[in-house]
Amino acid sequence: MPAAKKTKPNTAKDEFNREDLENISIEEAFKRVDDVISAMQEDDITLEDSFRRYKEGMDLLKTAGSLIDKVEKDALKISEDGDLEIFEDDEE
């Protein structure tokens, strides 16, 4: 019977801190999502760690979505006559 694979212990860099979401940038959120995806693709990941990382990824995507919504609402557009106007979502 083959020996069970041991997973690498989580480092401080890998640990997800929900408080970090308050100050994270959109770029950083997507970078962390990429890191989560890479970690989940490792052969030696445990089911428990996989679920934890999935939740982390979903939290990061939710935060990134909220940040993108805020940027869209704050964005300025140039009108036909060259004036700057607040971007308004036509769907609202």
Side-chain angles (χ1 to χ4, degrees), residues 20-34:
D20 291 341
L21 291 178
E22 295 175 14
N23 300 316
I24 198 168
S25 68
I26 296 168
E27 294 83 4
E28 178 73 18
F30 282 119
K31 163 97 175 65
R32 289 288 296 150
V33 169
D34 283 340

Side-chain angles (χ1 to χ4, degrees), residues 4 8 13-14 27 43 49-50 57 68 70 83-84 92:
K8 298 175 219 165
K13 180 184 171 200
D14 289 337
E27 294 83 4
D43 291 336
D49 196 33
S50 180
I68 290 169
K70 182 180 181 327
D83 292 332
L84 292 177
E92 289 182 12

Side-chain angles (χ1 to χ4, degrees), residues 59-72:
D59 288 345
L60 286 161
L61 289 173
K62 181 179 177 183
T63 298
S66 295
L67 291 169
I68 290 169
D69 287 345
K70 182 180 181 327
V71 169
E72 286 178 343

Side-chain angles (χ1 to χ4, degrees), residues 28-63:
E28 178 73 18
F30 282 119
K31 163 97 175 65
R32 289 288 296 150
V33 169
D34 283 340
D35 294 344
V36 167
I37 291 169
S38 294
M40 289 181 71
Q41 292 174 337
E42 292 180 9
D43 291 336
D44 61 350
I45 190 168
T46 64
L47 186 58
E48 181 179 277
D49 196 33
S50 180
F51 283 127
R52 183 183 59 77
R53 290 188 182 267
Y54 173 81
K55 173 133 178 49
E56 174 185 354
M58 294 306 294
D59 288 345
L60 286 161
L61 289 173
K62 181 179 177 183
T63 298

